[in-house]
Amino acid sequence: MQITLRHDPARTIPVDDALRSPDERTIWARESAYAFAARNGLDDAAAERIALALEDVAAATGDDRKNLLLVGAEGRVVAPLTVFAAAEPLTDAEQAAFLWSPAALLPATTEVVASEHLGPGFSATLLERHGDHDFGFRRWLFVGENATVGAVLGPVAPYGLIFVEDAAADVMRESTLDGFIPARDDTRVRELDAAVTRVGEDWPL
């Protein structure tokens, strides 16, 4: 199943999934980063930051996913967006395992979303601790009649999520998966949203 990511080239850089050797990745990352920086009026420090991030993301890119690097705050914030497809609907347990993390520090912030081509979806934003560092993540899930599309934005510094999540949301709103049949209604995503305990809801009054 072919994923097509529609994205804003002023805010995102697609990662080449054909790169295999470390040298290929390094050369491509630097060329792409400096070209992006030149087009958007960013300085050399931002270009170097983008190049390092592109090289890392390219090293983790596989045939079963698509990757973009999102750039915000004049190059001071960079974050990978990874989008994958499963050629079947996920079970409720698999959906939960994807959306929630045992490393979360706080309850998720959630949103019922809609995509032009993927139909109703669900998004969860989490603050997670991994080792000695805290990171922000945002996940999207679209469970169709015949397949599933999921996406992860992050890891990114928690303060930086706000600078890139709108661009990621635009990608998920407009992208396509060949042959994907959207869910007929938003019942499942409403169930996921209702299952979330939000900060303050269980405080005594």
Side-chain angles (χ1 to χ4, degrees):
M1 306 182 81
Q2 178 62 43
I3 306 170
T4 301
L5 301 183
R6 297 177 177 169
H7 61 96
D8 180 355
R11 299 187 291 174
T12 57
I13 304 171
V15 179
D16 190 342
D17 59 5
L19 299 168
R20 291 295 181 262
S21 76
D23 287 345
E24 285 179 317
R25 292 194 295 266
T26 298
I27 293 169
W28 170 83
R30 289 188 62 80
E31 290 177 348
S32 299
Y34 274 85
F36 180 90
R39 289 194 306 271
N40 292 282
L42 305 180
D43 60 20
D44 286 352
E48 286 294 325
R49 189 178 303 113
I50 294 167
L52 290 172
L54 281 174
E55 192 170 352
D56 286 345
V57 176
T61 297
D63 297 332
D64 61 342
R65 68 199 71 183
K66 293 281 188 179
N67 284 283
L68 298 170
L69 185 73
L70 278 59
V71 182
E74 297 182 344
R76 294 189 299 276
V77 175
V78 292
L81 175 67
T82 303
V83 183
F84 68 89
E88 59 187 12
L90 298 184
T91 66
D92 289 358
E94 289 169 332
Q95 293 171 27
F98 171 74
L99 289 168
W100 320 126
S101 170
L105 298 176
L106 295 169
T109 300
T110 64
E111 182 181 359
V112 174
V113 298
S115 166
E116 181 178 352
H117 303 285
L118 302 176
F122 182 75
S123 178
T125 302
L126 289 168
L127 174 65
E128 301 178 20
R129 176 159 294 164
H130 295 271
D132 296 328
H133 300 283
D134 297 341
F135 297 103
F137 290 86
R138 184 171 176 182
R139 295 175 174 86
W140 286 261
L141 187 68
F142 298 87
V143 181
E145 298 294 322
N146 64 329
T148 302
V149 174
V152 179
L153 173 64
V156 61
Y159 74 86
L161 198 59
I162 192 172
F163 295 104
V164 290
E165 63 178 343
D166 285 349
D170 288 345
V171 171
M172 300 313 301
R173 190 161 39 244
E174 300 174 9
S175 294
T176 63
L177 174 66
D178 290 351
F180 184 87
I181 301 173
R184 287 168 292 194
D185 58 46
D186 63 358
T187 300
R188 178 54 184 159
V189 297
R190 295 289 176 187
E191 290 174 350
L192 288 167
D193 193 48
V196 176
T197 300
R198 291 172 173 80
V199 174
E201 285 186 347
D202 55 357
W203 291 353
L205 298 179

